[in-house]
Amino acid sequence: MIATKLEILVDFGPKPDMCCVEKTINKLKSVDGVKQACFKEGAIVVETTLPSSQVLDLVTSASGKRAVLQGFGDTQSAVAMISSGSCCHGGLVGVIRFQQSPQGLIADGTIDGLPCGSHGLHVHASGDLSDGCKRIGEHYNPNNCCHGSPTDPPSSRHAGDLGNIVADNTGRATFKICDEVLKVWDIIGRSIAVTERPDDLGRGDNPQSKIDGNSGRPIGCGIIARSAGVFENPKRICACDGVVVWDEKGRPLAGKGRREGLKPCCQNHKDKVEKENLNKASPKI
């Protein structure tokens, strides 16, 4: 499996306890699949073949602190936020990150809320989520080929055919895929979807096999958008509402629940921003 670089922010505070930092680094280095780990520019940088969610869990466990993924990959990157509807009210949620490498496109993801078992994973032609996953179009297929397996040659598969992911008995699928056909710059603005059934990889007897692997309807999808690579995102606090970057984990991007339970300092920041905006909007006499 190809290694990727991760930039992980850990809530060490303004003056990191270097004993805690060293303990976290040593724990990472002891794990199979972690090639390098170091503390640089206030973040832990890890080169690993493991899915990013597993590395985040390792960092959280070793440090005892909150941790979030700040940068993914050292080349052009993208990300898709997966949900089961046009907003985030469904039970299926996840994140898939993409990075272009010399060996191919890496798709690194975790999706929760899936039925236990295998599910097809495909890049679709459209990024229209105005009606949930109903308008994302067919599989991305620039060469007008039949549906197939990601191991098939480009002439015998859709470019968007990524095979299957497997959810465990908790409903979580964690995966890291390398695909030699897709390119990250070709899929930005399109969508990626997970289906209700396994993909038969074009080998089945059903007429749908050569169309979509007889994998059924999409049950979760997301638009693929550009994202930051390692040390390409300097953000530590959201200027609009004062939510620090590690507080954003598990929160909606806006609206109800965004600021629930935040520290008073964040509320003071929000009040200050709102007051400044009000002053700017007030007519001068």
Side-chain angles (χ1 to χ4, degrees):
M1 178 62 69
I2 299 170
T4 49
K5 284 186 180 180
L6 311 177
E7 177 196 353
I8 300 173
L9 287 185
V10 185
D11 190 7
F12 287 125
K15 293 184 179 180
D17 179 347
M18 294 313 297
C19 289
C20 182
V21 172
E22 192 69 21
K23 173 188 169 185
T24 305
I25 295 295
N26 289 337
K27 174 62 177 178
L28 287 168
K29 289 181 176 179
S30 71
V31 175
D32 289 341
V34 174
K35 294 190 171 185
Q36 292 183 3
C38 66
F39 188 60
K40 180 181 178 183
E41 297 182 26
I44 291 179
V45 180
V46 185
E47 185 176 355
T48 180
T49 59
L50 300 174
S52 58
S53 60
Q54 290 185 15
V55 179
L56 276 174
D57 288 344
L58 285 168
V59 171
T60 301
S61 174
S63 67
K65 309 287 186 181
R66 297 174 295 179
V68 294
L69 186 62
Q70 176 82 342
F72 179 83
D74 53 4
T75 58
Q76 189 168 358
S77 302
V79 65
M81 309 297 291
I82 307 299
S83 69
S84 51
S86 58
C87 199
C88 302
H89 303 302
L92 189 152
V93 292
V95 180
I96 304 175
R97 300 180 186 276
F98 306 88
Q99 183 212 346
Q100 191 64 44
S101 76
Q103 294 82 6
L105 179 77
I106 297 169
D108 173 307
T110 299
I111 301 176
D112 287 305
L114 290 164
C116 182
S118 296
H119 301 269
L121 185 70
H122 313 106
V123 173
H124 286 249
S126 171
D128 183 358
L129 302 189
S130 60
D131 192 16
C133 301
K134 295 180 181 179
R135 296 185 180 180
I136 58 177
E138 305 298 329
H139 295 176
Y140 176 50
N141 185 21
N143 297 322
N144 197 28
C145 302
C146 291
H147 178 79
S149 164
T151 60
D152 288 339
S155 60
S156 301
R157 56 165 280 193
H158 300 154
D161 292 343
L162 292 178
N164 288 295
I165 59 175
V166 181
D168 60 22
N169 56 12
T170 71
R172 168 169 284 195
T174 301
F175 53 92
K176 192 169 187 177
I177 298 167
C178 182
D179 187 80
E180 298 180 359
V181 174
L182 282 176
K183 301 291 186 292
V184 70
W185 45 82
D186 290 332
I187 63 174
I188 290 172
R190 304 188 191 278
S191 60
I192 188 165
V194 58
T195 59
E196 60 183 340
R197 296 196 299 267
D199 184 338
D200 69 17
L201 308 179
R203 273 61 164 172
D205 296 329
N206 191 290
Q208 284 293 121
S209 180
K210 292 296 184 182
I211 299 173
D212 61 8
N214 195 29
S215 56
R217 65 182 179 89
I219 56 175
C221 59
I223 297 173
I224 302 168
R226 294 182 186 276
S227 68
V230 171
F231 294 118
E232 290 182 349
N233 183 7
K235 174 183 155 184
R236 295 294 187 273
I237 185 167
C238 179
C240 59
D241 59 13
V243 179
V244 295
V245 67
W246 34 75
D247 278 337
E248 289 190 313
K249 187 174 183 180
R251 294 179 182 272
L253 296 178
K256 186 177 180 182
R258 166 72 174 171
R259 303 188 37 74
E260 185 176 344
L262 292 185
K263 297 177 182 178
C265 63
C266 296
Q267 182 61 49
N268 292 339
H269 178 90
K270 180 174 184 288
D271 293 342
K272 180 180 177 182
V273 171
E274 289 179 347
K275 185 177 180 179
E276 289 175 350
N277 290 339
L278 182 62
N279 289 338
K280 289 177 183 178
S282 299
K284 296 186 183 299
I285 300 175

